[in-house]
Amino acid sequence: MDLALPTGQIVVCDPFTGLGPFAPRPFTANVRPGRYPVTLAVVSFDNAGTPAQVAAAARLSIGDGPVTRWELALTADQDAADLGDREYFGYETDQGDVCFVDASAVSALADHEDWLDDALATYVAADFSLPPVRATGPDGEEIVAFTTGRGHGFYPTWVGRTDGGDVASFVTDFLVIEEPGTANSSLR
C-alpha cells in the first residue's frame, strides 16, 4: 500500500484521536514529495495453544539505499539529549490503530471524523492477512492506517539513513521484539 506525501512532512499518530489540533507535529526529517510504500512486519506466536499475530513494526520506505544508521524521529520541539537511557519520544494510540499521514492532511482530516470512521470500517482490526488500508479524504488527503494488534500503547518511530545521510525509511516500532542481550520479553 502506498501513501501520497505532497509536502514530504510525515506525521505518525492514531487516526481516530491524533488528527486535528492535538496531532503530533511532523518529524524534522523531511522527504521529497511523492508516493511511498507502507508495509507491516508481523510476528506470529503461540498464545497458550492459540495462534496469534501482532504487528512488530510498520515501515514507510523512502529510498532504495541500505540503512546504515538509525536515529529517533524527532519533531521541532524535541531534543534527544533530554532523554534518559532507554527513553524515547513517541505517539500514543488508544486502541492500537496507527497511521502515516502527510502533515498537510492532519487538520483537514480532523474535520471529517465521520468520513474516517466510514473509510476505515472495512478494515478488520488484527486481521494481518489484510494489508494496511489507504483512505482518501473528501479533498484527496490520504492516510495509510493499520493496527498494532496490541491495543493502547506509546510507541517510537525511527529514521533509517543511508551512508550519505539520506532518509531511507521511517519505522514505527511496536516494541514486540527486544534488543539482543536484554531480558526475555512477554507480549503486553
Side-chain angles (χ1 to χ4, degrees):
M1 186 61 50
D2 63 335
L3 171 65
L5 296 173
T7 69
Q9 295 180 304
I10 297 153
V11 173
V12 180
C13 64
D14 184 316
F16 297 106
T17 62
L19 297 174
F22 302 108
R25 292 187 171 135
F27 297 128
T28 56
N30 296 324
V31 301
R32 189 173 330 126
R35 294 193 76 79
Y36 299 99
V38 176
T39 55
L40 291 179
V42 176
V43 175
S44 298
F45 61 96
D46 183 335
N47 185 16
T50 303
Q53 293 182 318
V54 296
R59 178 178 60 200
L60 176 64
S61 298
I62 305 301
D64 294 330
V67 173
T68 58
R69 75 176 195 273
W70 292 98
E71 60 191 48
L72 188 60
L74 300 172
T75 62
D77 60 338
Q78 297 172 334
D79 184 346
D82 294 338
L83 298 171
D85 187 40
R86 299 182 64 84
E87 290 183 325
Y88 55 85
F89 294 111
Y91 60 94
E92 187 171 18
T93 175
D94 284 347
Q95 301 295 320
D97 299 306
V98 179
C99 73
F100 286 110
V101 60
D102 189 87
S104 65
V106 169
S107 292
L109 292 176
D111 295 334
H112 300 286
E113 190 171 314
D114 292 339
W115 159 83
L116 187 60
D117 286 339
D118 291 343
L120 298 179
T122 59
Y123 185 68
V124 179
D127 181 352
F128 294 105
S129 65
L130 299 175
V133 63
R134 181 179 53 237
T136 304
D139 295 320
E141 309 91 343
E142 291 184 2
I143 65 169
V144 171
F146 43 89
T147 184
T148 67
R150 299 185 67 198
H152 178 81
F154 187 80
Y155 304 109
T157 300
W158 301 92
V159 179
R161 294 194 181 266
T162 65
D163 267 340
D166 295 327
V167 174
S169 64
F170 289 83
V171 173
T172 188
D173 182 356
F174 302 126
L175 308 175
V176 173
I177 301 171
E178 288 200 14
E179 295 176 39
T182 61
N184 290 334
S185 65
S186 60
L187 297 175
R188 303 179 241 159

